[in-house]
Amino acid sequence: MATRVLTPQSEDFPRWYQDVIARAELAENGPVRGTMVIRPAGYAIWERIQAELDARIKEAGVENAYFPLLLPQSYLSREAEHVEGFSPELAVVTHAGGKELEEPVVVRPTSETIIGEYMSKWVNSYRDLPLLLNQWSNVVRWELRPRVFLRTSEFLWQEGHTAHRTQQEAAAFAEKIHREVYEDFMVNVLAVPVVRGRKTKAERFAGAVNTLTLEAMMRDGKALQMATSHELGQNFARAFNISYLSDAGQQEHAWTTSWGSSTRMIGALIMSHGDDDGLRIPPRLAPVHALVMIVKEGEGVREAAEALVEGLRRGGMRAKLDDRVDTAFGRRAVDAELKGIPLRFELGPRDLADGKVTMVRRIMGGKAEVSLDQAVELAAEALIVDHQALYDEAEVRLDLRTEDVENLEDAVAASQNGLARIPWAKLGVEGEKQLAQSSVTVRCLIREDGEFPTTDDDPDAIAVVGRAY
Amino acid sequence: MATRVLTPQSEDFPRWYQDVIARAELAENGPVRGTMVIRPAGYAIWERIQAELDARIKEAGVENAYFPLLLPQSYLSREAEHVEGFSPELAVVTHAGGKELEEPVVVRPTSETIIGEYMSKWVNSYRDLPLLLNQWSNVVRWELRPRVFLRTSEFLWQEGHTAHRTQQEAAAFAEKIHREVYEDFMVNVLAVPVVRGRKTKAERFAGAVNTLTLEAMMRDGKALQMATSHELGQNFARAFNISYLSDAGQQEHAWTTSWGSSTRMIGALIMSHGDDDGLRIPPRLAPVHALVMIVKEGEGVREAAEALVEGLRRGGMRAKLDDRVDTAFGRRAVDAELKGIPLRFELGPRDLADGKVTMVRRIMGGKAEVSLDQAVELAAEALIVDHQALYDEAEVRLDLRTEDVENLEDAVAASQNGLARIPWAKLGVEGEKQLAQSSVTVRCLIREDGEFPTTDDDPDAIAVVGRAY
């Protein structure tokens, strides 16, 4: 674009991120420290994310439910690691209904504890298992270094919570969700390639025995944790007494899992796909696939534009008319670029006279006069190509900026540009601690064969190391 | 049913209500006073309610957004009536992130204040109006006499917030939402007839200049407020400085509205349609329209049952297979009745041999052997009839139990059975105060011509009086 509307990414990536969020009207900071207001353009993306994830969660046999926002403070204390991990981030309600409460209540930072309490009521026999629940909700974790979408004191998410008969069943379910819900969504909807791995003990969820993660690389080479699935072992089952009578007549504790993904994914979308002209929204998440713009009024122009919108909709696309001819066309075009709408059709009297329309592609770039008759078909094809193009671009970045190294110094150096892969045997727990001095962390442990390492000291594990959001 | 699983409504209606919620596994009380856990069977109904309302809200041109849960305490104080109305119900966070906060923050009881603050940033010119926003969220209002779904310390709802150029436009929009979103939903989806009216000054929303309401009658004759739409005049626009430059070049305050409906509607569904055997879910909200039950295994039975499920789904119905033949059939049937699934198809070897299946209708009652070939068609017809039947039944109740009276004593007497209609001129503000001694309230003011009274002392207004949840 001729006009510079955003700080270029190469100049100041964090500033570019703030700029694009403001200019595309995605979100703003809230009045209470670290909170955010999600504006309609941002929330529409979240609704599409929810719809896609929710369908996959239900397909996995999980049912939605809703548990209260407010937890008795005593619940958190029942699982020692859990309370230690979350205490510094809690918001505490001490007064309600005009009085001081006898026992303070906390605003949920996550719901393992309260859901554990109810699972213990609902699970009695092996026939009650597996119990597969999910909830869409807001959570509060007090944030000292907030950044919109990435790290906010309140965020929106889904949190799944399941209980199973055996360790194997629980582990298999956590992995199923990780692959069939999260990874499938990231790859096939968000168009973001991910590194699938296991968290080290130091990075694990507070109270888990194993945390699986998906890590993506942003355009500045930094990693972003996209979604995590936790095996909770019997830790919460013991703390909340989730037990069942087995078919052999024994009283056993259940094995539980939890897994979550949040509005942070909107941050990933922005930082993985956005460029110096604004957002580029992957077609499967775009609230508007194609914007049909009337460049200038003229005989039959409005009718033709409306017919094109209608045709695109019949073709299964989300189309919208822009007839704000009072506003300068350039400004409207810049606005569409900023908002990352995948396709624009620009129609004026001259185009119409030729039976043509100008098709502008936001994702791959490029502009072409196409026949009005073929516009719908070309749009459908373009959206398929665009999804793949976004994914491929991100994958090339991930590949090019991931380096295999053999020692800690090289890992730190490579992390300045992207990710480093180093044999876990050569890094180890001590090496992991040293990385912290350079603001670098082990994002996850992976294996060459694509499987998850099954122990904290798997000799085949490779540590993926990088700077992270 | 032979087995008595619920307290009969005639014996103890509140107890019946608690019983059916527990036995149909809709919800439970939460650990913090007045909160609730919504179980999958209840949440599935809420998801259907959300989908139906959300489509209507979007059709009205409103966009979804999300504003923070936590509000600076000072926001509430800016509108005098608003803070007075909500202060006794607030939950206050005084500590967060391990420290005492400098300014306590409150958990939102409703969002007029915070949305007003952001509207003031987004509205500058008349071109920015109308601004039409909605959010789906949880709110907290400390509740001393909680009752699941009806009155809970936390509930889920949608709250719409709009800003307009003129008083007329704002009033027209509040009324449009009231009719095209709420009333249309109640009548055509929830199958509940409603009295559409204006709240008296005493019953108005804190900070509003006019509150429109929809009131329904439950099976015990008590009224339930279903949804409200508020004209907020310029009260919040002044408090938060929502102002715009008019096309005449004048700086003007906007006129705002707000409107909400909540999980309370699940309570209305239960108490309007439920009977001594359990729930009866109106077809358009039923998570499962038809349950296909294998009575007993036998050659070809499972295949036929699965084919019927498939056929029902192809016919646009939500169908589910029940193949739990290890569980006594009677228990499974009672369970389906309790959960209010509109249709059951019971299939066993003998039915199949005759090419038949037993169709059981939960809503109208009745059981018939029908040809397997015709089952899908008959199911589709039955669901249409069932919706109307539920509505008609509720409407007959509303009509029969609404009495026209001419004085306060008769109004109180009639309220013991249902609703009383009394000319507002004969009741007045003083009469309204006296009603409180008998735990009776003016539910709303209506007019014979179906329009809303436009002032607090409309001489044609009729007060609708009753006991209420």
mmCIF file with all atom_site columns, all heavy atoms in Angstrom, chain A residues 234-252:
data_model
loop_
_atom_site.group_PDB
_atom_site.id
_atom_site.type_symbol
_atom_site.label_atom_id
_atom_site.label_alt_id
_atom_site.label_comp_id
_atom_site.label_asym_id
_atom_site.label_entity_id
_atom_site.label_seq_id
_atom_site.pdbx_PDB_ins_code
_atom_site.Cartn_x
_atom_site.Cartn_y
_atom_site.Cartn_z
_atom_site.occupancy
_atom_site.B_iso_or_equiv
_atom_site.pdbx_formal_charge
_atom_site.auth_seq_id
_atom_site.auth_comp_id
_atom_site.auth_asym_id
_atom_site.auth_atom_id
_atom_site.pdbx_PDB_model_num
ATOM 1   N N   . GLN A 1 234 ? -3.541  -39.469 39.215 1.00 0.00 ? 234 GLN A N   1
ATOM 2   C CA  . GLN A 1 234 ? -4.618  -39.604 40.206 1.00 0.00 ? 234 GLN A CA  1
ATOM 3   C C   . GLN A 1 234 ? -4.546  -38.449 41.218 1.00 0.00 ? 234 GLN A C   1
ATOM 4   O O   . GLN A 1 234 ? -5.182  -38.512 42.265 1.00 0.00 ? 234 GLN A O   1
ATOM 5   C CB  . GLN A 1 234 ? -4.503  -40.961 40.910 1.00 0.00 ? 234 GLN A CB  1
ATOM 6   C CG  . GLN A 1 234 ? -4.801  -42.123 39.956 1.00 0.00 ? 234 GLN A CG  1
ATOM 7   C CD  . GLN A 1 234 ? -4.731  -43.472 40.655 1.00 0.00 ? 234 GLN A CD  1
ATOM 8   O OE1 . GLN A 1 234 ? -3.796  -43.734 41.410 1.00 0.00 ? 234 GLN A OE1 1
ATOM 9   N NE2 . GLN A 1 234 ? -5.722  -44.315 40.401 1.00 0.00 ? 234 GLN A NE2 1
ATOM 10  N N   . ASN A 1 235 ? -3.797  -37.400 40.884 1.00 0.00 ? 235 ASN A N   1
ATOM 11  C CA  . ASN A 1 235 ? -3.603  -36.303 41.843 1.00 0.00 ? 235 ASN A CA  1
ATOM 12  C C   . ASN A 1 235 ? -4.916  -35.644 42.253 1.00 0.00 ? 235 ASN A C   1
ATOM 13  O O   . ASN A 1 235 ? -5.188  -35.448 43.434 1.00 0.00 ? 235 ASN A O   1
ATOM 14  C CB  . ASN A 1 235 ? -2.682  -35.237 41.254 1.00 0.00 ? 235 ASN A CB  1
ATOM 15  C CG  . ASN A 1 235 ? -1.261  -35.745 41.086 1.00 0.00 ? 235 ASN A CG  1
ATOM 16  O OD1 . ASN A 1 235 ? -0.917  -36.808 41.616 1.00 0.00 ? 235 ASN A OD1 1
ATOM 17  N ND2 . ASN A 1 235 ? -0.441  -35.008 40.339 1.00 0.00 ? 235 ASN A ND2 1
ATOM 18  N N   . PHE A 1 236 ? -5.729  -35.269 41.269 1.00 0.00 ? 236 PHE A N   1
ATOM 19  C CA  . PHE A 1 236 ? -7.002  -34.609 41.594 1.00 0.00 ? 236 PHE A CA  1
ATOM 20  C C   . PHE A 1 236 ? -8.034  -35.635 42.048 1.00 0.00 ? 236 PHE A C   1
ATOM 21  O O   . PHE A 1 236 ? -8.898  -35.336 42.863 1.00 0.00 ? 236 PHE A O   1
ATOM 22  C CB  . PHE A 1 236 ? -7.498  -33.783 40.406 1.00 0.00 ? 236 PHE A CB  1
ATOM 23  C CG  . PHE A 1 236 ? -6.699  -32.528 40.212 1.00 0.00 ? 236 PHE A CG  1
ATOM 24  C CD1 . PHE A 1 236 ? -5.534  -32.532 39.445 1.00 0.00 ? 236 PHE A CD1 1
ATOM 25  C CD2 . PHE A 1 236 ? -7.076  -31.343 40.825 1.00 0.00 ? 236 PHE A CD2 1
ATOM 26  C CE1 . PHE A 1 236 ? -4.774  -31.382 39.292 1.00 0.00 ? 236 PHE A CE1 1
ATOM 27  C CE2 . PHE A 1 236 ? -6.320  -30.185 40.677 1.00 0.00 ? 236 PHE A CE2 1
ATOM 28  C CZ  . PHE A 1 236 ? -5.166  -30.203 39.913 1.00 0.00 ? 236 PHE A CZ  1
ATOM 29  N N   . ALA A 1 237 ? -7.949  -36.853 41.515 1.00 0.00 ? 237 ALA A N   1
ATOM 30  C CA  . ALA A 1 237 ? -8.875  -37.902 41.942 1.00 0.00 ? 237 ALA A CA  1
ATOM 31  C C   . ALA A 1 237 ? -8.688  -38.187 43.434 1.00 0.00 ? 237 ALA A C   1
ATOM 32  O O   . ALA A 1 237 ? -9.658  -38.413 44.161 1.00 0.00 ? 237 ALA A O   1
ATOM 33  C CB  . ALA A 1 237 ? -8.665  -39.171 41.116 1.00 0.00 ? 237 ALA A CB  1
ATOM 34  N N   . ARG A 1 238 ? -7.441  -38.132 43.904 1.00 0.00 ? 238 ARG A N   1
ATOM 35  C CA  . ARG A 1 238 ? -7.198  -38.347 45.337 1.00 0.00 ? 238 ARG A CA  1
ATOM 36  C C   . ARG A 1 238 ? -7.641  -37.130 46.137 1.00 0.00 ? 238 ARG A C   1
ATOM 37  O O   . ARG A 1 238 ? -8.283  -37.256 47.172 1.00 0.00 ? 238 ARG A O   1
ATOM 38  C CB  . ARG A 1 238 ? -5.709  -38.590 45.593 1.00 0.00 ? 238 ARG A CB  1
ATOM 39  C CG  . ARG A 1 238 ? -5.291  -39.995 45.214 1.00 0.00 ? 238 ARG A CG  1
ATOM 40  C CD  . ARG A 1 238 ? -4.070  -40.472 45.995 1.00 0.00 ? 238 ARG A CD  1
ATOM 41  N NE  . ARG A 1 238 ? -3.484  -41.596 45.269 1.00 0.00 ? 238 ARG A NE  1
ATOM 42  C CZ  . ARG A 1 238 ? -2.569  -41.459 44.312 1.00 0.00 ? 238 ARG A CZ  1
ATOM 43  N NH1 . ARG A 1 238 ? -2.084  -40.273 43.997 1.00 0.00 ? 238 ARG A NH1 1
ATOM 44  N NH2 . ARG A 1 238 ? -2.125  -42.535 43.677 1.00 0.00 ? 238 ARG A NH2 1
ATOM 45  N N   . ALA A 1 239 ? -7.296  -35.933 45.636 1.00 0.00 ? 239 ALA A N   1
ATOM 46  C CA  . ALA A 1 239 ? -7.620  -34.711 46.390 1.00 0.00 ? 239 ALA A CA  1
ATOM 47  C C   . ALA A 1 239 ? -9.132  -34.514 46.524 1.00 0.00 ? 239 ALA A C   1
ATOM 48  O O   . ALA A 1 239 ? -9.606  -33.977 47.523 1.00 0.00 ? 239 ALA A O   1
ATOM 49  C CB  . ALA A 1 239 ? -6.987  -33.504 45.708 1.00 0.00 ? 239 ALA A CB  1
ATOM 50  N N   . PHE A 1 240 ? -9.888  -34.948 45.507 1.00 0.00 ? 240 PHE A N   1
ATOM 51  C CA  . PHE A 1 240 ? -11.340 -34.734 45.527 1.00 0.00 ? 240 PHE A CA  1
ATOM 52  C C   . PHE A 1 240 ? -12.120 -36.039 45.628 1.00 0.00 ? 240 PHE A C   1
ATOM 53  O O   . PHE A 1 240 ? -13.331 -36.050 45.490 1.00 0.00 ? 240 PHE A O   1
ATOM 54  C CB  . PHE A 1 240 ? -11.761 -33.908 44.299 1.00 0.00 ? 240 PHE A CB  1
ATOM 55  C CG  . PHE A 1 240 ? -11.278 -32.494 44.407 1.00 0.00 ? 240 PHE A CG  1
ATOM 56  C CD1 . PHE A 1 240 ? -10.022 -32.138 43.934 1.00 0.00 ? 240 PHE A CD1 1
ATOM 57  C CD2 . PHE A 1 240 ? -12.045 -31.546 45.058 1.00 0.00 ? 240 PHE A CD2 1
ATOM 58  C CE1 . PHE A 1 240 ? -9.546  -30.841 44.091 1.00 0.00 ? 240 PHE A CE1 1
ATOM 59  C CE2 . PHE A 1 240 ? -11.584 -30.251 45.218 1.00 0.00 ? 240 PHE A CE2 1
ATOM 60  C CZ  . PHE A 1 240 ? -10.330 -29.892 44.739 1.00 0.00 ? 240 PHE A CZ  1
ATOM 61  N N   . ASN A 1 241 ? -11.395 -37.110 45.843 1.00 0.00 ? 241 ASN A N   1
ATOM 62  C CA  . ASN A 1 241 ? -12.012 -38.426 46.012 1.00 0.00 ? 241 ASN A CA  1
ATOM 63  C C   . ASN A 1 241 ? -12.935 -38.817 44.860 1.00 0.00 ? 241 ASN A C   1
ATOM 64  O O   . ASN A 1 241 ? -14.106 -39.127 45.053 1.00 0.00 ? 241 ASN A O   1
ATOM 65  C CB  . ASN A 1 241 ? -12.773 -38.496 47.347 1.00 0.00 ? 241 ASN A CB  1
ATOM 66  C CG  . ASN A 1 241 ? -13.118 -39.944 47.700 1.00 0.00 ? 241 ASN A CG  1
ATOM 67  O OD1 . ASN A 1 241 ? -12.405 -40.870 47.276 1.00 0.00 ? 241 ASN A OD1 1
ATOM 68  N ND2 . ASN A 1 241 ? -14.204 -40.130 48.420 1.00 0.00 ? 241 ASN A ND2 1
ATOM 69  N N   . ILE A 1 242 ? -12.381 -38.767 43.645 1.00 0.00 ? 242 ILE A N   1
ATOM 70  C CA  . ILE A 1 242 ? -13.122 -39.283 42.484 1.00 0.00 ? 242 ILE A CA  1
ATOM 71  C C   . ILE A 1 242 ? -12.792 -40.773 42.407 1.00 0.00 ? 242 ILE A C   1
ATOM 72  O O   . ILE A 1 242 ? -11.728 -41.159 41.930 1.00 0.00 ? 242 ILE A O   1
ATOM 73  C CB  . ILE A 1 242 ? -12.677 -38.589 41.183 1.00 0.00 ? 242 ILE A CB  1
ATOM 74  C CG1 . ILE A 1 242 ? -12.692 -37.063 41.354 1.00 0.00 ? 242 ILE A CG1 1
ATOM 75  C CG2 . ILE A 1 242 ? -13.580 -39.016 40.018 1.00 0.00 ? 242 ILE A CG2 1
ATOM 76  C CD1 . ILE A 1 242 ? -12.035 -36.313 40.195 1.00 0.00 ? 242 ILE A CD1 1
ATOM 77  N N   . SER A 1 243 ? -13.691 -41.587 42.941 1.00 0.00 ? 243 SER A N   1
ATOM 78  C CA  . SER A 1 243 ? -13.401 -43.018 42.972 1.00 0.00 ? 243 SER A CA  1
ATOM 79  C C   . SER A 1 243 ? -14.600 -43.818 42.483 1.00 0.00 ? 243 SER A C   1
ATOM 80  O O   . SER A 1 243 ? -15.726 -43.328 42.465 1.00 0.00 ? 243 SER A O   1
ATOM 81  C CB  . SER A 1 243 ? -12.994 -43.447 44.380 1.00 0.00 ? 243 SER A CB  1
ATOM 82  O OG  . SER A 1 243 ? -14.080 -43.248 45.251 1.00 0.00 ? 243 SER A OG  1
ATOM 83  N N   . TYR A 1 244 ? -14.328 -45.040 42.063 1.00 0.00 ? 244 TYR A N   1
ATOM 84  C CA  . TYR A 1 244 ? -15.388 -45.861 41.476 1.00 0.00 ? 244 TYR A CA  1
ATOM 85  C C   . TYR A 1 244 ? -15.191 -47.320 41.856 1.00 0.00 ? 244 TYR A C   1
ATOM 86  O O   . TYR A 1 244 ? -14.075 -47.748 42.185 1.00 0.00 ? 244 TYR A O   1
ATOM 87  C CB  . TYR A 1 244 ? -15.399 -45.696 39.952 1.00 0.00 ? 244 TYR A CB  1
ATOM 88  C CG  . TYR A 1 244 ? -14.210 -46.314 39.247 1.00 0.00 ? 244 TYR A CG  1
ATOM 89  C CD1 . TYR A 1 244 ? -14.299 -47.592 38.677 1.00 0.00 ? 244 TYR A CD1 1
ATOM 90  C CD2 . TYR A 1 244 ? -12.998 -45.633 39.153 1.00 0.00 ? 244 TYR A CD2 1
ATOM 91  C CE1 . TYR A 1 244 ? -13.200 -48.165 38.033 1.00 0.00 ? 244 TYR A CE1 1
ATOM 92  C CE2 . TYR A 1 244 ? -11.896 -46.202 38.521 1.00 0.00 ? 244 TYR A CE2 1
ATOM 93  C CZ  . TYR A 1 244 ? -12.002 -47.464 37.961 1.00 0.00 ? 244 TYR A CZ  1
ATOM 94  O OH  . TYR A 1 244 ? -10.924 -48.034 37.351 1.00 0.00 ? 244 TYR A OH  1
ATOM 95  N N   . LEU A 1 245 ? -16.292 -48.035 41.797 1.00 0.00 ? 245 LEU A N   1
ATOM 96  C CA  . LEU A 1 245 ? -16.261 -49.474 42.052 1.00 0.00 ? 245 LEU A CA  1
ATOM 97  C C   . LEU A 1 245 ? -15.963 -50.155 40.719 1.00 0.00 ? 245 LEU A C   1
ATOM 98  O O   . LEU A 1 245 ? -16.731 -50.038 39.765 1.00 0.00 ? 245 LEU A O   1
ATOM 99  C CB  . LEU A 1 245 ? -17.632 -49.921 42.581 1.00 0.00 ? 245 LEU A CB  1
ATOM 100 C CG  . LEU A 1 245 ? -17.667 -51.290 43.264 1.00 0.00 ? 245 LEU A CG  1
ATOM 101 C CD1 . LEU A 1 245 ? -16.839 -51.282 44.553 1.00 0.00 ? 245 LEU A CD1 1
ATOM 102 C CD2 . LEU A 1 245 ? -19.117 -51.676 43.559 1.00 0.00 ? 245 LEU A CD2 1
ATOM 103 N N   . SER A 1 246 ? -14.818 -50.809 40.640 1.00 0.00 ? 246 SER A N   1
ATOM 104 C CA  . SER A 1 246 ? -14.422 -51.436 39.369 1.00 0.00 ? 246 SER A CA  1
ATOM 105 C C   . SER A 1 246 ? -15.277 -52.662 39.081 1.00 0.00 ? 246 SER A C   1
ATOM 106 O O   . SER A 1 246 ? -16.010 -53.136 39.958 1.00 0.00 ? 246 SER A O   1
ATOM 107 C CB  . SER A 1 246 ? -12.950 -51.841 39.428 1.00 0.00 ? 246 SER A CB  1
ATOM 108 O OG  . SER A 1 246 ? -12.809 -52.991 40.234 1.00 0.00 ? 246 SER A OG  1
ATOM 109 N N   . ASP A 1 247 ? -15.187 -53.184 37.845 1.00 0.00 ? 247 ASP A N   1
ATOM 110 C CA  . ASP A 1 247 ? -15.976 -54.380 37.536 1.00 0.00 ? 247 ASP A CA  1
ATOM 111 C C   . ASP A 1 247 ? -15.489 -55.591 38.328 1.00 0.00 ? 247 ASP A C   1
ATOM 112 O O   . ASP A 1 247 ? -16.194 -56.584 38.447 1.00 0.00 ? 247 ASP A O   1
ATOM 113 C CB  . ASP A 1 247 ? -16.031 -54.660 36.019 1.00 0.00 ? 247 ASP A CB  1
ATOM 114 C CG  . ASP A 1 247 ? -14.662 -54.640 35.382 1.00 0.00 ? 247 ASP A CG  1
ATOM 115 O OD1 . ASP A 1 247 ? -13.669 -54.447 36.109 1.00 0.00 ? 247 ASP A OD1 1
ATOM 116 O OD2 . ASP A 1 247 ? -14.575 -54.804 34.145 1.00 0.00 ? 247 ASP A OD2 1
ATOM 117 N N   . ALA A 1 248 ? -14.287 -55.474 38.888 1.00 0.00 ? 248 ALA A N   1
ATOM 118 C CA  . ALA A 1 248 ? -13.796 -56.545 39.766 1.00 0.00 ? 248 ALA A CA  1
ATOM 119 C C   . ALA A 1 248 ? -14.215 -56.320 41.218 1.00 0.00 ? 248 ALA A C   1
ATOM 120 O O   . ALA A 1 248 ? -13.806 -57.071 42.108 1.00 0.00 ? 248 ALA A O   1
ATOM 121 C CB  . ALA A 1 248 ? -12.270 -56.615 39.668 1.00 0.00 ? 248 ALA A CB  1
ATOM 122 N N   . GLY A 1 249 ? -15.046 -55.276 41.443 1.00 0.00 ? 249 GLY A N   1
ATOM 123 C CA  . GLY A 1 249 ? -15.549 -55.053 42.787 1.00 0.00 ? 249 GLY A CA  1
ATOM 124 C C   . GLY A 1 249 ? -14.598 -54.291 43.712 1.00 0.00 ? 249 GLY A C   1
ATOM 125 O O   . GLY A 1 249 ? -14.794 -54.244 44.920 1.00 0.00 ? 249 GLY A O   1
ATOM 126 N N   . GLN A 1 250 ? -13.565 -53.691 43.153 1.00 0.00 ? 250 GLN A N   1
ATOM 127 C CA  . GLN A 1 250 ? -12.605 -52.913 43.947 1.00 0.00 ? 250 GLN A CA  1
ATOM 128 C C   . GLN A 1 250 ? -12.939 -51.425 43.888 1.00 0.00 ? 250 GLN A C   1
ATOM 129 O O   . GLN A 1 250 ? -13.368 -50.931 42.855 1.00 0.00 ? 250 GLN A O   1
ATOM 130 C CB  . GLN A 1 250 ? -11.182 -53.071 43.356 1.00 0.00 ? 250 GLN A CB  1
ATOM 131 C CG  . GLN A 1 250 ? -10.643 -54.478 43.371 1.00 0.00 ? 250 GLN A CG  1
ATOM 132 C CD  . GLN A 1 250 ? -10.306 -54.942 44.782 1.00 0.00 ? 250 GLN A CD  1
ATOM 133 O OE1 . GLN A 1 250 ? -9.707  -54.192 45.538 1.00 0.00 ? 250 GLN A OE1 1
ATOM 134 N NE2 . GLN A 1 250 ? -10.718 -56.156 45.132 1.00 0.00 ? 250 GLN A NE2 1
ATOM 135 N N   . GLN A 1 251 ? -12.698 -50.706 44.975 1.00 0.00 ? 251 GLN A N   1
ATOM 136 C CA  . GLN A 1 251 ? -12.838 -49.255 44.970 1.00 0.00 ? 251 GLN A CA  1
ATOM 137 C C   . GLN A 1 251 ? -11.528 -48.660 44.437 1.00 0.00 ? 251 GLN A C   1
ATOM 138 O O   . GLN A 1 251 ? -10.455 -48.927 44.995 1.00 0.00 ? 251 GLN A O   1
ATOM 139 C CB  . GLN A 1 251 ? -13.118 -48.767 46.398 1.00 0.00 ? 251 GLN A CB  1
ATOM 140 C CG  . GLN A 1 251 ? -13.763 -47.395 46.484 1.00 0.00 ? 251 GLN A CG  1
ATOM 141 C CD  . GLN A 1 251 ? -15.181 -47.365 45.929 1.00 0.00 ? 251 GLN A CD  1
ATOM 142 O OE1 . GLN A 1 251 ? -15.893 -48.357 45.977 1.00 0.00 ? 251 GLN A OE1 1
ATOM 143 N NE2 . GLN A 1 251 ? -15.578 -46.229 45.359 1.00 0.00 ? 251 GLN A NE2 1
ATOM 144 N N   . GLU A 1 252 ? -11.596 -47.916 43.336 1.00 0.00 ? 252 GLU A N   1
ATOM 145 C CA  . GLU A 1 252 ? -10.374 -47.384 42.698 1.00 0.00 ? 252 GLU A CA  1
ATOM 146 C C   . GLU A 1 252 ? -10.509 -45.875 42.505 1.00 0.00 ? 252 GLU A C   1
ATOM 147 O O   . GLU A 1 252 ? -11.609 -45.365 42.308 1.00 0.00 ? 252 GLU A O   1
ATOM 148 C CB  . GLU A 1 252 ? -10.195 -47.987 41.291 1.00 0.00 ? 252 GLU A CB  1
ATOM 149 C CG  . GLU A 1 252 ? -10.318 -49.480 41.210 1.00 0.00 ? 252 GLU A CG  1
ATOM 150 C CD  . GLU A 1 252 ? -8.967  -50.162 41.239 1.00 0.00 ? 252 GLU A CD  1
ATOM 151 O OE1 . GLU A 1 252 ? -7.973  -49.457 41.539 1.00 0.00 ? 252 GLU A OE1 1
ATOM 152 O OE2 . GLU A 1 252 ? -8.912  -51.374 40.985 1.00 0.00 ? 252 GLU A OE2 1
#
